[in-house]
Amino acid sequence: MTSSSFTPVGQQVGQFYDQLVGAFDASLYGPNIHVGFWNNPDDATGLEEAANRLTDMMIERLQVGPGDRVLDIGCGVGGPAIRLAQVTGAEVVGISVSGKQVEKANELAEAAGMSGKVSFQHGDAMDLPFDDASFSAVWMLESVMQMPDRKAALTEAARVLRPGGRLALTDNYERETISEERRPVIEGILKRYLTQSPASFDAYPALLREAGLRPTEIVDVSENTTRQSVKRLGEALAKNMSELASKIDPEVFAKLKPADGENMEMPELGYLIVTGRRAAAV
Ligand code: SAH
């Protein structure tokens, strides 16, 4: 996209999520802040279960088990990290720029009896507070698009990965060329959610390589995820609007809520699952 696109910065993103922390509970995706995965348009799976399904697909890709240590960069309120530890027995450390999310995530880990295995701390993906090669695997679920620079974020992720370790992430990309007419509309919506320009499918392999990672999979799952979620999320939001409104500062809520009649669908954007491995020697 053009140079007028928005560049999110950690502190701003942290404040954004601090204000929203009350909204992420069982009323929508559960303790997850990522889209769900639906097998087909008739799949009646609810939002939270569909979000867990996408988490499970990402868990499979990490191939970790007891004795492994995984870093969750952009951990949200912790649902995916807790599930990862429960399913695999690996130890998980999550970081977020939102202090309130970190607090909530640690509470949820405690409540799930997982605080011995999973911990969350405040930290910025652009400058990770961890040693080189200190993790068996790293994931970034729907978080890299909120970081100021994909290449720098991936380079940091690769730095803390041990040689041969796996990275798994989800990201937005420009699936269809965005017309000049649509560009300001799309940029406006992305900016409202502190999201930077979408990635490019064709450029992803080089992006990973430049970060010191060997691409292993780049797959478009838009039809099963974002293509389904706007309508489904809209229905859930309509049902839970008053509950949500009571949990978020009214001024913040007014800013985030789609304008009356606004069409939030962005068919030009697609959703990717990406995996890579840190080169054995860098
Ligand atoms: N991965 C979680 C949350 C996704 S929402 C889930 O799937 O449920 C995006 C997350 O990325 C938020 O937790 C946000 O605080 C975090 N994030 C965005 N920019 C960040 C940065 N620069 N450093 C660390 N975390 C960041």
Side-chain angles (χ1 to χ4, degrees):
M1 291 198 6
T2 60
S3 54
S4 67
S5 320
F6 174 72
T7 303
V9 290
Q11 204 189 1
Q12 206 184 353
V13 174
Q15 279 166 3
F16 173 81
Y17 282 110
D18 279 352
Q19 290 169 323
L20 292 181
V21 74
F24 295 107
D25 61 16
S27 57
L28 290 168
Y29 283 110
N32 307 293
I33 317 176
H34 63 244
V35 294
F37 188 98
W38 289 273
N39 293 321
N40 56 62
D42 300 324
D43 181 347
T45 305
L47 289 181
E48 181 169 356
E49 198 183 331
N52 285 334
R53 194 185 272 162
L54 182 66
T55 303
D56 290 343
M57 291 169 65
M58 302 305 281
I59 290 175
E60 270 173 40
R61 283 162 166 84
L62 287 185
Q63 298 188 19
V64 292
D68 282 317
R69 183 169 180 244
V70 183
L71 178 63
D72 180 348
I73 306 180
C75 61
V77 292
I82 294 168
R83 193 170 177 92
L84 169 62
Q86 284 169 331
V87 171
T88 66
E91 183 195 330
V92 187
V93 178
I95 67 150
S96 168
V97 278
S98 160
K100 289 247 160 59
Q101 282 189 334
V102 167
E103 216 172 277
K104 171 106 180 177
N106 279 319
E107 278 166 25
L108 290 179
E110 180 81 49
M114 292 301 290
S115 51
K117 281 264 179 212
V118 195
S119 64
F120 300 94
Q121 64 187 76
H122 190 273
D124 195 320
M126 309 312 288
D127 184 17
L128 292 171
F130 303 108
D131 292 339
D132 294 0
S134 53
F135 290 93
S136 329
V138 173
W139 76 10
M140 306 165 92
L141 300 187
E142 222 167 286
S143 58
V144 71
M145 62 277 261
Q146 286 192 317
M147 294 168 193
D149 178 344
R150 281 188 176 81
K151 186 175 150 196
L154 291 174
T155 304
E156 260 302 84
R159 179 183 69 75
V160 302
L161 253 187
R162 66 158 196 235
R166 289 168 204 271
L167 168 100
L169 63 83
T170 63
D171 200 356
N172 289 331
Y173 82 104
E174 189 168 334
R175 191 188 201 208
E176 290 166 22
T177 305
I178 299 172
S179 69
E180 285 314 306
E181 198 188 351
R182 284 278 293 160
R183 192 173 295 281
V185 176
I186 290 178
E187 282 184 355
I189 296 174
L190 293 179
K191 185 175 171 190
R192 192 192 302 162
Y193 300 102
L194 302 190
T195 300
Q196 64 148 305
S197 321
S200 149
F201 187 95
D202 293 339
Y204 232 110
L207 180 66
L208 292 172
R209 283 197 195 93
E210 284 165 20
L213 296 156
R214 185 162 56 76
T216 45
E217 181 187 15
I218 301 176
V219 53
D220 177 335
V221 290
S222 314
E223 294 300 337
N224 302 92
T225 57
T226 46
R227 277 303 88 79
Q228 310 266 341
S229 66
V230 170
K231 187 169 153 270
R232 293 170 191 260
L233 185 61
E235 286 165 4
L237 274 174
K239 248 197 256 165
N240 293 304
M241 199 56 99
S242 52
E243 189 196 342
L244 269 180
S246 70
K247 291 182 172 170
I248 308 174
D249 180 308
E251 261 178 54
V252 179
F253 189 68
K255 265 194 256 164
L256 288 181
K257 194 165 111 356
D260 280 345
E262 180 184 15
N263 182 1
M264 293 280 285
E265 280 182 59
M266 296 184 280
E268 297 92 336
L269 300 196
Y271 196 78
L272 295 176
I273 290 177
V274 175
T275 65
R277 296 186 77 168
R278 175 163 165 199
V282 282

